mmCIF file of all heavy atoms in Angstrom:
data_model
loop_
_atom_site.group_PDB
_atom_site.id
_atom_site.type_symbol
_atom_site.label_atom_id
_atom_site.label_comp_id
_atom_site.label_asym_id
_atom_site.label_seq_id
_atom_site.Cartn_x
_atom_site.Cartn_y
_atom_site.Cartn_z
ATOM 1 N N GLU A 302 -16.272 3.773 -17.212
ATOM 2 C CA GLU A 302 -17.650 3.442 -17.557
ATOM 3 C C GLU A 302 -17.956 2.040 -17.050
ATOM 4 O O GLU A 302 -17.122 1.141 -17.167
ATOM 5 C CB GLU A 302 -17.854 3.495 -19.075
ATOM 6 C CG GLU A 302 -17.709 4.885 -19.672
ATOM 7 C CD GLU A 302 -18.810 5.837 -19.219
ATOM 8 O OE1 GLU A 302 -19.905 5.343 -18.867
ATOM 9 O OE2 GLU A 302 -18.561 7.052 -19.222
ATOM 10 N N PRO A 303 -19.130 1.828 -16.478
ATOM 11 C CA PRO A 303 -19.474 0.485 -15.988
ATOM 12 C C PRO A 303 -19.465 -0.522 -17.133
ATOM 13 O O PRO A 303 -19.800 -0.200 -18.269
ATOM 14 C CB PRO A 303 -20.880 0.652 -15.412
ATOM 15 C CG PRO A 303 -21.009 2.119 -15.141
ATOM 16 C CD PRO A 303 -20.186 2.806 -16.180
ATOM 17 N N TRP A 304 -19.084 -1.747 -16.799
ATOM 18 C CA TRP A 304 -19.116 -2.807 -17.807
ATOM 19 C C TRP A 304 -20.537 -2.981 -18.322
ATOM 20 O O TRP A 304 -21.493 -3.100 -17.555
ATOM 21 C CB TRP A 304 -18.654 -4.124 -17.200
ATOM 22 C CG TRP A 304 -17.178 -4.227 -17.047
ATOM 23 C CD1 TRP A 304 -16.224 -3.645 -17.818
ATOM 24 C CD2 TRP A 304 -16.487 -4.969 -16.032
ATOM 25 N NE1 TRP A 304 -14.975 -3.955 -17.362
ATOM 26 C CE2 TRP A 304 -15.103 -4.779 -16.268
ATOM 27 C CE3 TRP A 304 -16.885 -5.773 -14.973
ATOM 28 C CZ2 TRP A 304 -14.128 -5.370 -15.466
ATOM 29 C CZ3 TRP A 304 -15.919 -6.358 -14.177
ATOM 30 C CH2 TRP A 304 -14.560 -6.163 -14.425
ATOM 31 N N GLY A 305 -20.679 -2.971 -19.620
ATOM 32 C CA GLY A 305 -21.969 -3.231 -20.229
ATOM 33 C C GLY A 305 -23.008 -2.169 -19.950
ATOM 34 O O GLY A 305 -24.193 -2.376 -20.180
ATOM 35 N N GLY A 306 -22.560 -0.993 -19.444
ATOM 36 C CA GLY A 306 -23.511 0.063 -19.136
ATOM 37 C C GLY A 306 -24.549 -0.344 -18.111
ATOM 38 O O GLY A 306 -25.683 0.117 -18.149
ATOM 39 N N ARG A 307 -24.151 -1.203 -17.160
ATOM 40 C CA ARG A 307 -25.112 -1.783 -16.238
ATOM 41 C C ARG A 307 -25.262 -1.006 -14.931
ATOM 42 O O ARG A 307 -25.738 -1.525 -13.942
ATOM 43 C CB ARG A 307 -24.712 -3.222 -15.906
ATOM 44 C CG ARG A 307 -24.782 -4.169 -17.088
ATOM 45 C CD ARG A 307 -24.390 -5.563 -16.664
ATOM 46 N NE ARG A 307 -22.995 -5.601 -16.213
ATOM 47 C CZ ARG A 307 -22.479 -6.627 -15.532
ATOM 48 N NH1 ARG A 307 -23.232 -7.656 -15.222
ATOM 49 N NH2 ARG A 307 -21.205 -6.605 -15.170
ATOM 50 N N GLY A 308 -24.818 0.239 -14.902
ATOM 51 C CA GLY A 308 -24.970 1.031 -13.687
ATOM 52 C C GLY A 308 -24.043 0.551 -12.594
ATOM 53 O O GLY A 308 -22.949 0.062 -12.856
ATOM 54 N N ILE A 309 -24.489 0.665 -11.355
ATOM 55 C CA ILE A 309 -23.601 0.400 -10.225
ATOM 56 C C ILE A 309 -23.097 -1.036 -10.212
ATOM 57 O O ILE A 309 -21.990 -1.325 -9.770
ATOM 58 C CB ILE A 309 -24.309 0.745 -8.889
ATOM 59 C CG1 ILE A 309 -23.289 0.758 -7.738
ATOM 60 C CG2 ILE A 309 -25.462 -0.211 -8.616
ATOM 61 C CD1 ILE A 309 -23.849 1.347 -6.468
ATOM 62 N N GLU A 310 -23.907 -1.978 -10.734
ATOM 63 C CA GLU A 310 -23.472 -3.369 -10.741
ATOM 64 C C GLU A 310 -22.286 -3.597 -11.665
ATOM 65 O O GLU A 310 -21.561 -4.583 -11.524
ATOM 66 C CB GLU A 310 -24.629 -4.288 -11.157
ATOM 67 C CG GLU A 310 -25.777 -4.355 -10.169
ATOM 68 C CD GLU A 310 -26.741 -3.176 -10.324
ATOM 69 O OE1 GLU A 310 -26.568 -2.393 -11.282
ATOM 70 O OE2 GLU A 310 -27.646 -3.043 -9.484
ATOM 71 N N GLY A 311 -22.077 -2.714 -12.625
ATOM 72 C CA GLY A 311 -20.986 -2.891 -13.562
ATOM 73 C C GLY A 311 -19.713 -2.171 -13.176
ATOM 74 O O GLY A 311 -18.746 -2.194 -13.935
ATOM 75 N N ARG A 312 -19.670 -1.557 -12.006
ATOM 76 C CA ARG A 312 -18.472 -0.843 -11.585
ATOM 77 C C ARG A 312 -17.421 -1.836 -11.056
ATOM 78 O O ARG A 312 -17.753 -2.906 -10.573
ATOM 79 C CB ARG A 312 -18.819 0.183 -10.507
ATOM 80 C CG ARG A 312 -19.776 1.265 -10.994
ATOM 81 C CD ARG A 312 -20.119 2.220 -9.873
ATOM 82 N NE ARG A 312 -21.217 3.128 -10.270
ATOM 83 C CZ ARG A 312 -21.797 3.990 -9.451
ATOM 84 N NH1 ARG A 312 -21.394 4.068 -8.186
ATOM 85 N NH2 ARG A 312 -22.764 4.751 -9.886
ATOM 86 N N TYR A 313 -16.179 -1.422 -11.119
ATOM 87 C CA TYR A 313 -15.089 -2.331 -10.762
ATOM 88 C C TYR A 313 -13.950 -1.547 -10.123
ATOM 89 O O TYR A 313 -13.754 -0.360 -10.377
ATOM 90 C CB TYR A 313 -14.588 -3.077 -11.997
ATOM 91 C CG TYR A 313 -14.284 -2.157 -13.166
ATOM 92 C CD1 TYR A 313 -13.028 -1.614 -13.350
ATOM 93 C CD2 TYR A 313 -15.289 -1.803 -14.084
ATOM 94 C CE1 TYR A 313 -12.754 -0.755 -14.406
ATOM 95 C CE2 TYR A 313 -15.029 -0.967 -15.140
ATOM 96 C CZ TYR A 313 -13.765 -0.439 -15.305
ATOM 97 O OH TYR A 313 -13.509 0.420 -16.336
#
Side-chain angles (χ1 to χ4, degrees):
E302 294 293 335
W304 282 330
R307 294 181 296 166
I309 192 169
E310 293 82 7
R312 297 178 190 174
Y313 50 91

